[in-house]
Amino acid sequence: MKLQRMNRRALSLGALAVSGALALTACGSDDTGSSSDGSTSSATAAAGSIKCDDAKGQLLADGSSAQKNAIDAWVKNFTQACSGVQVNYKGSGSGAGVTAFTQGQVAFAGSDSALKPEDVTASKSVCSGGQGIDLPMVAGPIAVAYNVAGVDNLVLDAATIAKIFDGKITNWNDAAIAKLNPDAKLPDLKIQPYHRSDESGTTDNFTKYLIAAAPDNWKYEGGKAWQAKGGQAAAGSSGVAQGVKQTNGAIGYMELSYAKDGLGTVAVDTGASAPVKASSDGATKAVAAAQVVGTGSDLSLKLDYNTKAEGAYPLTLVTYEIACDKGNKAATLPATKAFLRYIASEDGQGILSGIDYAPIPDAIISKVRTTIEGLS
């Protein structure tokens, strides 16, 4: 793919995804596929390369809210090309998605954490002769977003972030924050930390970072459920983002595409030569060093949350699409394979950087593509 073509597609779809109002079905779109100058849009160009095969009917999915904006953009393209398919992705959170999958309620799920052994066991009851597997599809930085009037550039390290979210640092002019931001005018203002109320892969990855990078200051076990006391709780990445936006003095963690509309994002002091802000490029650099630790068709990854590599953003998550390796329902298998094939393709991955996500590195996504073709 030519770089200019990728950039045009990314910019075009970025505006669509961030709006949060994308149609989830083919019949709901009034997009003509033409730009104001009469040329064919990049969305239509992408749609032309999508293989629909025998895909038809309704494809139900649920899970990670962190990838919701990416899914919306992908669905827009896919349903333009495959008019016989309706894709409905709820984005209720990783925990809800895994539960829906293991109960046979959805064709695939999205999760920001790989399946646990008990999840794999449960999946065998719905994957006839097979089991659920993890397919890494979207990478993205978890932004630590804040709303503090008059503070435009904020640097924090892992220890300070941990103390803030554990209620050990409670005011914005605390000495620990001031030391990291000698030129900032920090207000005498109470810190209002926001966390997820639902079981969340974003929470899981955020706390894995704190455990790895600030073990002396974060003594919790981690996982999808928030464990620290205090703070404000909100459902989904969108709920956390809304809470932070509405509260002067607030801070929260969310996927970067939600950190918009006046929110600042923290630059993380990792010990590298310069603090690193959340970005697609920084996330890709972090994921490039990941190891595939899954067995068989499973492609779950192990990330280095304590990386000090130059430009690598440590607070990065990978969202997996979870499907049966064998025993997918015959009614939804063609649509599942067609949709997953598209989002793993060069075109599908190519839109991610323009909407504040990061594509999966080539060495990993090539394995994903091979695995998708073998789903049965």
Side-chain angles (χ1 to χ4, degrees), residues 64-127:
S64 165
S65 65
Q67 71 166 352
K68 182 65 164 58
N69 290 336
I71 290 284
D72 284 352
W74 281 329
V75 168
K76 177 72 171 181
N77 271 1
F78 182 77
T79 53
Q80 283 179 340
C82 303
S83 58
V85 183
Q86 294 179 332
V87 183
N88 186 346
Y89 182 85
K90 290 183 179 180
S92 301
S94 296
V98 171
T99 297
F101 178 76
T102 57
Q103 293 180 351
Q105 298 171 359
V106 294
F108 72 90
S111 176
D112 307 321
S113 300
L115 292 168
K116 295 179 179 179
E118 57 266 32
D119 298 325
V120 174
T121 299
S123 73
K124 293 179 180 180
S125 65
V126 296
C127 301

Side-chain angles (χ1 to χ4, degrees), residues 182-201:
D183 298 326
K185 294 181 179 179
L186 298 168
D188 182 7
L189 177 67
K190 182 181 178 181
I191 298 175
Q192 303 275 6
Y194 275 78
H195 60 265
R196 290 282 289 272
S197 61
D198 52 323
E199 288 202 356
S200 160

Side-chain angles (χ1 to χ4, degrees), residues 269-295:
D269 184 347
T270 64
S273 62
V276 185
K277 292 205 74 169
S279 70
S280 297
D281 182 61
T284 297
K285 289 179 179 178
V287 176
Q291 297 177 323
V292 176
V293 293
T295 58

Side-chain angles (χ1 to χ4, degrees), residues 136 290-295 298-302 363-364 367:
Q291 297 177 323
V292 176
V293 293
T295 58
D298 187 89
L299 296 173
S300 57
L301 304 175
K302 181 179 180 180
I364 299 172
K367 296 178 181 179

Side-chain angles (χ1 to χ4, degrees), residues 134-147:
D134 300 288
L135 302 173
M137 201 70 73
V138 187
I142 302 172
V144 181
Y146 65 96
N147 176 9

Side-chain angles (χ1 to χ4, degrees), residues 38-60:
S39 61
T40 302
S41 73
S42 57
T44 302
S49 65
I50 296 172
K51 293 174 59 179
C52 302
D53 294 335
D54 298 322
K56 59 183 178 180
Q58 188 175 50
L59 191 62
L60 298 179

